[in-house]
Amino acid sequence: VHDHMLGYIRDSKTPKEAWEKLKKIFAANMAARKLQLRQELNNIQQRDMAKMITVHTIIAVAAAKGWHLHQMDVKNAFLQGELEEEVYMIQPPGFESRVHPNAVCRLKKPLYGLKQAPRAWHSKITQYLHQIGFRMSKSDTSLYIRHESNNPIIIILYVDDLVIEGKDLVEINKVKSLLSGRFEMKHMNELHYFLGIEVIRTPVGILISQRHYVLNLLYKFGLTECKPVSTPLDRNLKIDADSGTAVCDPTKYRQIIGSLIYLTITRPDLSYSVGLLSQFMQNPRNLHLDCAKRILRYVSATMDYGIVYKSHTTIRLEGYTDADWAGYKADRRSTFGFVFSLGSGAISWSSKKQPTVALSSTDAKYKGTAPLAENPSKTQIGSNCQDREREREREREREREIIERELLY
């Protein structure tokens, strides 16, 4: 029996039947290796996906410089990878060999559902992109860049979807021809729809929105005919973990919040309200559910909202951050947020509750700024005595937290 042996059972009626069939084939050898295999598979690198900040950035650059954006789709991407490990599966039900009924099959290609499949595909296409002159970005393993004759070509890989950006349309078509010659591809020409994001190019610039996704969201939760509102949340409403009575089935609340989190890809105006309600996923109350539905009503009134990256603008990176002080009354923690823009549109934003209690409004703002700095320990907050005193107080606070944890545990 080889070291890397994996049983793969499909269409079994019950888990017990699946395990009994697995034992008959692999017997004691598989049982001895079961725990080790599970640990090895958990350590395998999962699917390599492009970061949303990367997607926003290349669209902003394309709008500012007037570059082209094209899209391609790989057919049966996972089946085109190469397995580095020896992986075995049992004979598929209904296709067992009569001569060797107890034999197992060694996989030559990854299958959909196999944990190694995403990594094998990513390694395969990365190797080919290196051969044709592309280099992987150090900040995002799904971003590839090639510089030739002052005509840069940028590729973003999201599983089996590719976005190709470049200055020269002829060079883009050459790259598309090379990819089509190596892999079975589907040409989609200019980029219009990507990961649920609508990309609309106008003379003014590029608009990204999720209008179609919003329509499906409202239909899913039965709010297509709802009364729209002008704000996501009521400013005078105080929300905490014990507001109202518990909902009977928290599944609907979790589905709404999960769907709204994906909507924040193009809607920075929802970051705070969705982030606030996502704190109550474990034990939601009726008040929380009503607030989630209010956000949907706000979304129905603003479904055409999105981010506009204007054409022929200066590419300049700007960032802003702010924080309240003890805004959440239950644990006296502060909420901080930030937004970064490139050119004329936002490319990254967030709104989160701080993990520790801030001692002052300045402390809250500093804690919100420190994670954004390249080296937080060297961030300058001033040289006067008050700033140094706050630094010493933070050190004492950390020491108190350590002592409390030791006393509790």
Side-chain angles (χ1 to χ4, degrees):
V1 180
H2 293 274
D3 289 339
H4 300 281
M5 183 174 288
L6 177 65
Y8 187 80
I9 298 179
R10 289 183 175 178
D11 301 330
S12 297
K13 295 181 180 179
T14 63
K16 183 178 179 181
E17 178 184 349
W19 279 109
E20 290 298 326
K21 192 170 184 180
L22 187 64
K23 289 177 182 178
K24 291 179 182 179
I25 297 175
F26 296 102
N29 290 321
M30 183 60 187
R33 296 282 299 169
K34 182 172 63 176
L35 180 60
Q36 183 176 354
L37 277 171
R38 190 169 297 170
Q39 293 173 347
E40 290 174 357
L41 291 177
N42 289 337
N43 293 330
I44 292 176
Q45 182 181 2
Q46 294 299 311
R47 184 176 303 174
D48 293 277
M49 295 184 179
K51 301 174 183 177
M52 277 300 131
I53 183 175
T54 306
V55 176
H56 293 147
T57 300
I58 70 160
I59 294 177
V61 172
K65 291 183 172 291
W67 288 2
H68 303 278
L69 282 172
H70 282 232
Q71 183 179 8
M72 297 185 75
D73 181 72
V74 186
K75 298 181 180 179
N76 300 321
F78 287 175
L79 302 183
Q80 302 191 42
E82 299 290 342
L83 285 174
E84 297 179 359
E85 304 88 353
E86 289 185 3
V87 180
Y88 294 83
M89 62 172 283
I90 68 166
Q91 300 180 45
F95 296 90
E96 294 90 346
S97 173
R98 296 181 181 180
V99 181
H100 304 286
N102 296 326
V104 294
C105 303
R106 179 181 176 182
L107 294 180
K108 294 184 178 180
K109 293 285 186 178
L111 295 177
Y112 277 84
L114 195 67
K115 288 189 176 181
Q116 293 94 331
R119 179 177 143 186
W121 157 243
H122 186 266
S123 300
K124 185 75 172 181
I125 191 169
T126 298
Q127 181 182 5
Y128 182 71
L129 289 175
H130 284 174
Q131 292 178 2
I132 60 177
F134 285 87
R135 293 295 176 262
M136 182 189 297
S137 171
K138 295 181 180 179
S139 61
D140 191 340
T141 58
S142 296
L143 175 65
Y144 303 85
I145 304 173
R146 188 183 76 177
H147 290 278
E148 285 187 2
S149 303
N150 199 25
N151 288 320
I153 301 292
I154 301 172
I155 293 180
I156 282 187
L157 173 66
Y158 197 96
V159 191
D160 57 353
D161 290 323
L162 286 85
V163 176
I164 306 175
E165 175 182 350
K167 177 181 178 181
D168 190 353
L169 186 58
V170 176
E171 292 295 327
I172 292 178
N173 290 330
K174 288 181 180 179
V175 172
K176 293 170 68 174
S177 299
L178 290 173
L179 291 171
S180 300
R182 181 62 182 84
F183 305 103
E184 188 178 359
M185 311 288 288
K186 178 181 179 182
H187 292 268
M188 303 178 71
N189 295 325
E190 293 187 2
L191 178 64
H192 295 292
Y193 196 81
F194 182 66
L195 305 178
I197 303 173
E198 299 176 44
V199 182
I200 304 173
R201 193 152 205 165
T202 65
V204 177
I206 298 178
L207 167 68
I208 61 172
S209 68
Q210 293 171 277
R211 187 179 187 278
H212 185 69
Y213 177 78
V214 170
L215 292 173
N216 292 336
L217 194 61
L218 296 174
Y219 178 79
K220 177 181 178 180
F221 296 108
L223 294 173
T224 54
E225 303 296 331
C226 65
K227 183 178 180 181
V229 293
S230 58
T231 58
L233 293 176
D234 187 353
R235 292 185 57 185
N236 300 321
L237 183 64
K238 302 299 181 182
I239 305 175
D240 54 45
D242 299 325
S243 302
T245 58
V247 298
C248 299
D249 184 12
T251 303
K252 182 178 181 180
Y253 178 81
R254 294 166 182 168
Q255 290 177 344
I256 294 176
I257 298 302
S259 301
L260 289 174
I261 289 175
Y262 189 74
L263 185 58
T264 58
I265 291 176
T266 60
R267 297 292 298 270
D269 56 324
L270 300 177
S271 293
Y272 171 75
S273 54
V274 174
L276 176 63
L277 295 182
S278 63
Q279 301 175 24
F280 315 115
M281 299 279 275
Q282 185 175 0
N283 187 24
R285 304 283 177 155
N286 285 319
L287 178 60
H288 305 150
L289 182 59
D290 293 339
C291 292
K293 291 181 179 179
R294 178 187 172 91
I295 296 178
L296 289 176
R297 293 166 57 195
Y298 168 73
V299 168
S300 69
T302 59
M303 64 176 65
D304 293 325
Y305 281 19
I307 303 175
V308 177
Y309 300 102
K310 294 182 180 180
S311 302
H312 309 296
T313 57
T314 303
I315 299 179
R316 180 182 177 184
L317 181 64
E318 295 181 347
Y320 303 90
T321 180
D322 198 2
D324 65 2
W325 181 38
Y328 191 62
K329 303 304 179 183
D331 54 11
R332 306 296 296 176
R333 294 185 183 181
S334 307
T335 302
F336 80 98
F338 69 85
V339 59
F340 284 92
S341 64
L342 186 67
S344 61
I347 59 172
S348 179
W349 54 88
S350 180
S351 175
K352 295 182 180 179
K353 186 169 72 172
Q354 295 181 353
T356 57
V357 177
L359 302 177
S360 65
S361 59
T362 303
D363 191 26
K365 295 178 185 298
Y366 172 75
K367 289 182 176 180
T369 306
L372 305 179
E374 184 177 359
N375 190 346
S377 63
K378 296 183 179 179
T379 303
Q380 296 182 356
I381 61 171
S383 58
N384 53 43
C385 297
Q386 293 180 354
D387 290 335
R388 289 195 293 270
E389 179 61 29
R390 293 190 186 98
E391 282 294 314
R392 287 193 290 269
E393 184 61 32
R394 275 190 289 272
E395 291 296 331
R396 289 193 289 269
E397 179 187 350
R398 297 188 190 99
E399 293 176 359
R400 287 196 298 268
E401 291 177 353
I402 293 173
I403 294 173
E404 289 176 358
R405 285 198 297 268
E406 291 178 351
L407 292 175
L408 289 174
Y409 299 102

